[in-house]
Amino acid sequence: MAKVYVHTDIEGIAGYVFFMNTGQSMENVAHLQRMNHLLTQEVKAACTAALDWGADEVWVNDSHGFCYNILFEELPKQCQIMHGRPGCFDAWLSCFDGSVDALVSIGMHAMAGTPHAVCPHSRWHINGTLALSEATMAAALAGYHRVPCVCVSGDDQICREVNDKIPACETVVVKWGIAAQNARSLMPAAACERIYRGVTAGLQRAADIPPYVIPGPYRLNISDRDPEVTIFPEDIAGDDLWETVHRALNSTTYGHYGQDAIDDRSYRWPA
Ligand SMILES: [Zn+2]
């Protein structure tokens, strides 16, 4: 039995250069649908590679914005997907535990403050010295469960950061950042081919890719767009990475909806 977990975001897919994808205004709907289709194709390439490699289960986590982006009806029927309104629980890497054999991350973007990266945002600060992107934080959360991150796709800058921290991880560059909203990109079909090959190679080498483990105790903070500005006045402290990360996330306004209906038209996703 082998279970592969596919974590996803959208800013790192081939062809994506703008943040304007929250669907809050009607003029963005066509753009939103198009990007969701392109995301779905890349995720499908990763899932197909995992199944062809021999995975019995492929769990997909739709993890961008409202977490309802992937056109799941287009994924292989063997997949299962975690999606929909996040917040108030361990929503990041939802349902991830030690029964997973390998983490794959698709559509990843560089951390806030990264030059020549496409849509760089969010930066985890650990113990005041270590900076992590969402991709390497996901790898660290997998590492908490002693699960290796075997393949990451995105722009050249996120792939560079991943390989700085996890040299053995397979990385798939689908575009090269020129500026924050400008890139040289592969065509989607070529990106999907490379993702298929990268995920296959990563899974074949999984036993040789060490889980990314960050020793504790931890003091965490997060920056959104400006790497110099942290959102918590005091670092969030704890000895257990999984618990501390989720306590931090669930104390943010965007991670804590409570029973508020986020499909209410009055709700505004933070800019
Ligand atoms: Zn995102």
Side-chain angles (χ1 to χ4, degrees):
M1 288 292 289
K3 184 196 289 183
V4 175
Y5 191 105
V6 181
H7 174 59
T8 68
D9 201 351
I10 201 168
E11 290 90 349
I13 65 170
Y16 191 106
V17 287
F18 294 117
F19 280 117
M20 55 174 197
N21 63 328
T22 54
Q24 297 286 356
S25 54
M26 289 305 290
E27 65 267 26
N28 283 349
V29 166
H31 172 80
L32 177 74
Q33 290 174 331
R34 184 165 168 234
M35 294 301 123
N36 285 350
H37 169 70
L38 296 176
L39 167 66
T40 302
Q41 294 300 111
E42 292 197 6
V43 173
K44 183 179 179 182
C47 294
T48 305
L51 290 165
D52 289 352
W53 166 77
D56 305 285
E57 294 183 70
V58 179
W59 286 14
V60 177
N61 189 23
D62 190 334
S63 193
H64 166 77
F66 290 121
C67 303
Y68 204 64
N69 312 284
I70 295 167
L71 309 175
F72 46 88
E73 62 271 38
E74 296 180 15
L75 295 184
K77 66 182 179 185
Q78 300 94 326
C79 297
Q80 297 181 32
I81 190 164
M82 284 76 72
H83 59 183
R85 186 166 115 167
C88 290
F89 60 99
D90 290 358
W92 220 33
L93 295 198
S94 178
C95 304
F96 195 104
D97 62 22
S99 70
V100 174
D101 293 284
L103 173 69
V104 169
S105 293
I106 300 297
M108 297 293 112
H109 57 81
M111 71 176 91
T114 306
H116 310 297
V118 181
C119 299
H121 65 283
S122 91
R123 174 188 286 242
W124 286 88
H125 306 267
I126 300 192
N127 298 338
T129 52
L130 182 63
L132 269 70
S133 63
E134 293 171 25
T136 47
M137 180 51 96
L141 288 171
Y144 169 89
H145 289 290
R146 300 299 186 267
V147 175
C149 176
V150 302
C151 184
V152 171
S153 73
D155 73 5
D156 55 329
Q157 297 300 333
I158 185 59
C159 290
R160 182 198 311 260
E161 190 235 344
V162 168
N163 279 141
D164 282 349
K165 294 186 170 84
I166 316 168
C169 181
E170 197 73 31
T171 51
V172 180
V173 175
V174 299
K175 62 188 171 188
W176 291 262
I178 297 171
Q181 308 271 265
N182 194 293
R184 172 169 58 89
S185 181
L186 294 178
M187 292 302 103
C192 290
E193 283 180 13
R194 288 196 193 196
I195 287 168
Y196 181 93
R197 289 201 298 269
V199 171
T200 302
L203 288 170
Q204 286 172 343
R205 293 194 298 105
D208 301 320
I209 302 175
Y212 181 47
V213 178
I214 300 174
Y218 310 96
R219 284 184 296 104
L220 303 181
N221 219 314
I222 311 172
S223 299
D224 182 16
R225 300 291 170 88
D226 183 342
E228 306 299 327
V229 178
T230 51
I231 63 174
F232 303 122
E234 303 268 331
D235 288 352
I236 309 279
D239 293 329
D240 179 301
L241 185 66
W242 186 276
E243 184 276 329
T244 311
V245 164
H246 286 99
R247 180 154 41 86
L249 288 172
N250 291 341
S251 62
T252 62
T253 49
Y254 55 84
H256 192 93
Y257 301 116
Q259 295 303 311
D260 296 347
I262 60 168
D263 50 357
D264 185 319
R265 294 190 71 82
S266 66
Y267 185 88
R268 287 291 173 267
W269 185 255

